[in-house]
Amino acid sequence: MDKLVNDFSLGLFFWQAVILVVLILLLVKFAWKPIMTSIAAREEGIANALASAEAARKEMHNLQADNQRILQEARLERDAMIKEAREIKEKMIADAKALATEQGDKMIEQAKATINSEKNAAMAELKNQVAGLSLEIAEKLLKNELSDKGAQTALVEKLLGDVKLN
Amino acid sequence: MVFHGKIVKNTLTALFAVVPFITFANFANDTVKVQPEHAPVAIHTEVAGHAEEHAPASKKDAIDAYIQHHLQDSHEFIFFSDEAEGKHYGFPLPVILVDGGLKVFSASKFEHGEKVAEVDGSYYKLHHGKIYKTDASGDLKLDAHHHPTAEKPFDMSITKNVVTMLLVSALMFFMFVGLAKSYKKGPIPTGFGRVLEPLIIFIREEVAIPNIGKDKYRKYMGFLLTVFFFIWILNLLGLTPLGTNVTGNISVTVCLALFTYLITQFSANKNYWKHIFWMPDVPVAMKIVLMPIEILGTLTKPFALLIRLFANITAGHVVMMSLIAMMFVGKNLAADMPISIGLTLFIAVIELLVAFLQAFIFTMLSSLFIGMAVQDHHHEGDHDGHHDEEPIII
C-alpha cells in the first residue's frame, strides 16, 4: 500500500483526467453519436425489412390459398356445367324420340283412316257397279224373256245356274 | 439447454472477477521479493552507471531494478539502452514543474538521472522516476527506508505515459471518426470499420444494455466505449516492445475508476440513495448498521476496479519481463533460451487475452455500477424477462 501511494503521481493523474475528459467529449461528438445513430438506423431498417418480408410472405400465402380456393370453385362449376349439359342432351334426345314416335303413330293412324275410307268408297262403287250390272243383266234378261218363253225359262235356269255356281 | 443464458454469463463474469486475485498473488510475491533488494541496487546503478565489474554478482538485482524501472513512468522515451557504454537511445520529454511558478525544461537536463538539473536557480534531481528539489550537490537526504526526504515539487510533466495516452487518444479519434464518416457512404462500414463496429455493438449488446437497461444505456455509451477502447489499446500497447506501462500505473487506474465513481454517484436516482442511507424492508437497527457498510461499499467498488486493472497489468509486465530475463540469469544460455522464449510466448498469448479481458471487465463493472445507480426498484425482474424475448439483430 505504501508503495502504491508512493507510486501515485498527481501530475500523471491530472493529465490522464484532462485527456480522458477531452477524449470522451470529442469522441462523443464526432464518433459515438454518429456511429450509434447510424447503427440504430440500420438496425431499424433491417427490422422493418424483415417485418415487411414476413408480411409479404403472409400475403403471398393468403394469395396462394385464395387462388387454390378459386381454382377449386372453378373446377366444381365446370363439373356441374358438364353434368347439366349431359342431362340436357339426354333430355333432348328423349324428347325428340318421343315426339317422333308420336308423329309416326299419328301418320300411321291417318294412313289407316285414309285406307279405310278409300276402301269403303271403293266398296260402295263396287256395290253400285254390281247393282248396275245386275240391273243391266236383269234388263237384258227381261227383254229376251218377253220374246221367247222357252228361252226365257232357259235363261233364268242358266242364270240361276250361274248364281248357284257363284 | 438446461442452463439459462444469463446464468452462464454471470458465472463467466464471476470467474473473470476472480482472475485478478490469482494473478494478484503472483504480483504481491514479486513485489515483496523486489522491494527489499530494490533500494540498494538502485543506488548501486546510480553510483556506478556503467560499471562492468559488478555484472555477475548483481545481475539478478540489476534485472529487478530494470523491471522496477520499466513499471514506472518516465520523463524520457527510451527504446533501448546500451548498458556497456551507458548509452540510451530515445528522446527526452518536456518537464513541467510547478514550484514557485511554472518551470518548463527538457528532461535531457537530468542526463538519465545522473545529473542535477539547474533551472532558474533551483536544483532538481531525478530519483526513481520522481523529481525532487535539492541543492547543487544533489543530496536527497535518504531516510531509513531509502526514501528521499527532499521536497517534491508538483510535477505535471508530459511523461512517457502522457505521451502514450495522447498517441492512443489520437489513434482512437482517427479510427472512430473514420468509422463515423464511413456511415455517410452507406449503411455498412468499409475497411477497418468492419472490425470496430462489431466491438461497439458488443459493448452495447453485452455490456451496456443488460446492465443499465434499454431505456437508460444510451447516455453512458460514450463513457463506456471510450474507456473500453482506451484501456484495451493501452493494454495492447504495453505488450509491444515500446515499453509503455500506462494501465499498470496506479495514477491512471485511479483516474479511470474515479470517473466511474463520479458518473455513478451523479447519475444515481432517489432509489439508489435510499438503499444506501435507509435500506427499505429491514428493521431500523439493521438500517443503522447497513448505512456505513453501504457508504463504504460505494467506495470499495471503484477501489476494486482500480486495483484490479493495475494489478493485472503490472503482474503481466513483471511476469513477462522476468521470463525474458531468465535467460540472462541462468548459466547455460543454450538451455535457458528456449525455455525462456517458450514461456514468454505462452504468457504473452495469455496477456493478449488479459488485455482484452481487463478492458472488458472494467467496462462491464462500470456499467454494472451505473446500472445499479440508475435502475428503478423493480426493474431487474422486468428486465430479465424483457431481455430474453428481445430479438438480437447484429
Side-chain angles (χ1 to χ4, degrees), chain A residues 1-21 23-24 26-28 30-40 42-43 46-47 50, chain B residues 31 35 68 73 130 154-158 161-162 165 169 172 176-177 179-180 183 187 189 197 204 218 221-223 225-226 230 249-252 254-256 258-259 310 393:
Chain A
M1 200 65 210
D2 174 48
K3 188 179 147 45
L4 287 187
V5 173
N6 202 41
D7 272 355
F8 184 81
S9 154
L10 202 59
L12 182 57
F13 176 82
F14 165 77
W15 284 116
Q16 154 82 21
V18 171
I19 289 170
L20 199 57
V21 167
L23 184 65
I24 289 174
L26 278 178
L27 282 181
V28 164
F30 294 109
W32 302 137
K33 203 170 261 177
I35 289 171
M36 294 300 286
T37 320
S38 306
I39 291 176
R42 193 186 60 197
E43 279 172 356
I46 292 170
L50 281 179
Chain B
T31 6
Q35 192 86 331
Q68 202 60 32
D73 200 1
K130 302 256 177 204
F154 179 44
D155 175 10
M156 40 186 278
S157 313
I158 308 297
N161 284 355
V162 177
M165 285 194 287
S169 304
M172 278 175 71
F176 291 109
V177 170
L179 175 61
Y183 283 110
E197 199 207 65
R204 192 190 62 170
R218 189 64 191 83
M221 275 309 277
F223 171 71
L225 284 168
T226 311
F230 190 70
N249 190 301
I250 194 80
S251 319
V252 174
V254 164
C255 184
L256 287 167
L258 190 73
F259 268 69
F310 164 75
I393 300 162

Side-chain angles (χ1 to χ4, degrees), chain B residues 86-130:
Chain B
K87 269 192 183 169
H88 303 278
Y89 297 91
F91 51 89
L93 295 165
V95 176
I96 304 166
L97 296 178
V98 181
D99 183 30
L102 210 61
K103 287 183 179 150
V104 182
F105 56 97
S106 165
S108 60
K109 277 199 174 187
F110 291 119
E111 306 237 336
H112 315 298
E114 287 159 23
K115 289 240 169 70
V116 178
E118 192 208 339
V119 185
D120 304 335
S122 305
Y123 296 92
Y124 302 103
K125 179 129 178 62
L126 208 54
H127 181 72
H128 289 306
K130 302 256 177 204

Side-chain angles (χ1 to χ4, degrees), chain A residues 124-143:
Chain A
E125 207 177 357
L126 199 64
K127 268 180 191 164
N128 281 348
Q129 277 183 353
V130 168
L133 214 58
S134 305
L135 279 177
E136 254 174 66
I137 294 167
E139 205 178 59
K140 275 176 188 165
L141 210 77
L142 282 171
K143 270 176 187 167

Side-chain angles (χ1 to χ4, degrees), chain B residues 184-373:
Chain B
K184 280 183 189 142
K185 286 182 228 146
I188 293 161
T190 50
F192 192 55
R194 291 201 186 180
V195 182
L196 297 175
E197 199 207 65
L199 290 165
I200 293 171
I201 292 175
F202 168 75
I203 293 294
R204 192 190 62 170
E205 296 292 329
E206 301 300 322
V207 176
I209 292 179
N211 287 315
I212 303 176
K214 216 169 170 46
D215 310 326
K216 292 169 183 163
Y217 81 95
R218 189 64 191 83
K219 213 163 74 182
Y220 306 100
M221 275 309 277
F223 171 71
L224 294 175
L225 284 168
T226 311
V227 162
F228 173 73
F229 286 106
F230 190 70
I231 296 176
W232 192 20
I233 296 171
L234 281 173
N235 285 351
L236 288 176
L237 218 57
L239 296 175
T240 63
L242 276 179
T244 60
N245 178 33
V246 184
T247 38
N249 190 301
I250 194 80
S251 319
V252 174
T253 57
V254 164
C255 184
L256 287 167
L258 190 73
F259 268 69
T260 301
Y261 178 73
L262 290 177
I263 288 172
T264 310
Q265 301 312 309
F266 280 111
S267 55
N269 57 16
K270 204 174 71 189
N271 187 44
Y272 174 78
W273 293 118
K274 203 173 153 195
H275 274 74
I276 286 176
F277 287 110
W278 208 242
M279 182 71 84
D281 307 325
V282 292
V284 175
M286 277 301 283
K287 284 179 203 268
I288 293 164
V289 173
L290 279 175
M291 187 165 60
I293 296 174
E294 287 287 335
I295 293 171
L296 204 63
T298 62
L299 293 171
T300 54
K301 282 175 203 157
F303 186 73
L305 213 56
L306 76 91
I307 290 293
R308 181 178 298 111
L309 181 59
F310 164 75
N312 268 285
I313 303 307
T314 307
H317 282 242
V318 168
V319 169
M320 286 251 289
M321 295 191 86
S322 304
L323 287 173
I324 295 171
M326 213 169 80
M327 72 175 103
F328 301 115
V329 179
K331 291 192 170 49
N332 187 353
L333 188 66
D336 285 340
M337 201 156 76
I339 300 172
S340 170
I341 289 176
L343 283 174
T344 311
L345 202 62
F346 173 66
I347 293 294
V349 174
I350 289 180
E351 282 303 309
L352 216 54
L353 178 69
V354 168
F356 173 78
L357 267 189
Q358 288 308 315
F360 170 68
I361 289 169
F362 194 98
T363 319
M364 184 81 183
L365 291 177
S366 292
S367 66
L368 191 74
F369 299 154
I370 294 170
M372 282 160 129

